Amino acid sequence: GENVEQHPSTLSVQEGDSAVIKCTYSDSASNYFPWYKQELGKRPQLIIDIRSNVGEKKDQRIAVTLNKTAKHFSLHITETQPEDSAVYFCAALSSNTGKLIFGQGTTLQVKP
Amino acid sequence: SAVISQKPSRDICQRGTSLTIQCQVDSQVTMMFWYRQQPGQSLTLIATANQGSEATYESGFVIDKFPISRPNLTFSTLTVSNMSPEDSSIYLCSVEGDIVAGSYNEQFFGPGTRLTVL
């Protein structure tokens, strides 16, 4: 079946460093890839997304890159801050069902 | 984005009872979904709530256990029936396709309902 693999499961960085989270997907026809940030006890929040017609998208300190050939996409956070600490989920929209397939999540810890 | 509310925010229930969770959106949306999230885990789709027809359930979830209603484009309910401790989880509604805003694909989540079954 369709799946999304996310790595790493945990990531610890020093404040000010960059963080990169990678996801691979199996559905080659998938065309929409959102990223969610979930703080402890809170709802998942959509922070950035990318569609298959572009290779990169930026929004201030966060960026997402997409490699359709390799079927992977990545979240890049620069100049990390303690408030970036959260669980991050990637997802891919299934071309078959129209539903999001979520990765397993990455727990990011930014140490002050 | 649309403002999504859920009631109750949390509850503690006895096994064998049922709980109905409400999801309200402040704008009309095309799609509404129900997810379950176990502690430390990813999001698992339970079903798609269809307006005016039966919900579409994912593998492993059945209507008798999780009846769903969606009477209009802004409201849905999920009932967790005949609960057992294994049903303890966070239940989240999500919405997609704000009709007024003309958005598509972007999916937004409600605040969740934390359910504990004793």
Side-chain angles (χ1 to χ4, degrees):
Chain A
E2 297 165 325
N3 72 302
V4 174
E5 296 289 332
Q6 184 172 346
H7 298 281
S9 57
T10 60
L11 180 59
S12 181
V13 300
Q14 288 294 135
E15 182 177 0
D17 288 350
S18 296
V20 181
I21 304 170
K22 301 180 179 180
C23 291
T24 59
Y25 59 97
S26 60
D27 177 7
S28 58
S30 183
N31 62 7
Y32 176 68
F33 308 91
W35 285 89
Y36 289 87
K37 174 184 180 183
Q38 187 174 32
E39 297 176 69
L40 189 63
K42 302 288 182 62
R43 74 184 82 188
Q45 287 194 308
L46 178 65
I47 56 171
I48 195 168
D49 56 15
I50 191 167
R51 300 183 190 275
S52 59
N53 57 343
V54 297
E56 185 176 6
K57 184 177 180 181
K58 289 183 180 180
D59 184 3
Q60 298 182 340
R61 295 187 297 107
I62 60 173
V64 57
T65 59
L66 172 65
N67 183 325
K68 287 186 63 180
T69 302
K71 292 191 290 186
H72 68 68
F73 57 111
S74 300
L75 178 71
H76 304 254
I77 306 175
T78 58
E79 301 173 24
T80 53
Q81 302 167 2
E83 50 264 39
D84 294 328
S85 297
V87 179
Y88 291 81
F89 293 99
C90 64
L93 185 67
S94 166
S95 63
N96 181 39
T97 66
K99 297 167 188 174
L100 290 178
I101 310 295
F102 283 89
Q104 298 87 345
T106 297
T107 300
L108 173 64
Q109 180 187 29
V110 180
K111 298 178 180 178
Chain B
S1 61
V3 176
I4 308 166
S5 60
Q6 274 184 245
K7 289 195 296 186
S9 58
R10 59 177 62 223
D11 208 342
I12 300 173
C13 302
Q14 296 297 320
R15 69 172 66 209
T17 63
S18 298
L19 176 71
T20 296
I21 303 167
Q22 298 179 3
C23 179
Q24 179 75 56
V25 196
D26 70 344
S27 59
Q28 293 184 327
V29 293
T30 55
M31 306 294 287
M32 295 184 78
F33 304 95
W34 287 97
Y35 286 83
R36 183 169 74 182
Q37 187 176 33
Q38 307 279 19
Q41 301 295 312
S42 187
L43 299 149
T44 301
L45 182 63
I46 297 172
T48 303
N50 300 310
Q51 193 223 346
S53 65
E54 194 171 284
T56 306
Y57 290 85
E58 297 301 303
S59 176
F61 298 96
V62 295
I63 187 172
D64 290 346
K65 177 67 176 177
F66 297 101
I68 287 170
S69 78
R70 189 178 173 193
N72 55 49
L73 295 176
T74 64
F75 184 78
S76 178
T77 68
L78 167 74
T79 299
V80 186
S81 302
N82 189 24
M83 289 184 283
S84 66
E86 292 71 35
D87 295 320
S88 297
S89 188
I90 296 172
Y91 292 85
L92 295 143
C93 72
S94 74
V95 305
E96 178 189 324
D98 187 317
I99 294 174
V100 173
S103 65
Y104 65 101
N105 291 153
E106 291 93 345
Q107 197 170 124
F108 301 97
F109 286 87
T113 296
R114 183 180 294 272
L115 171 61
T116 302
V117 184
L118 303 177

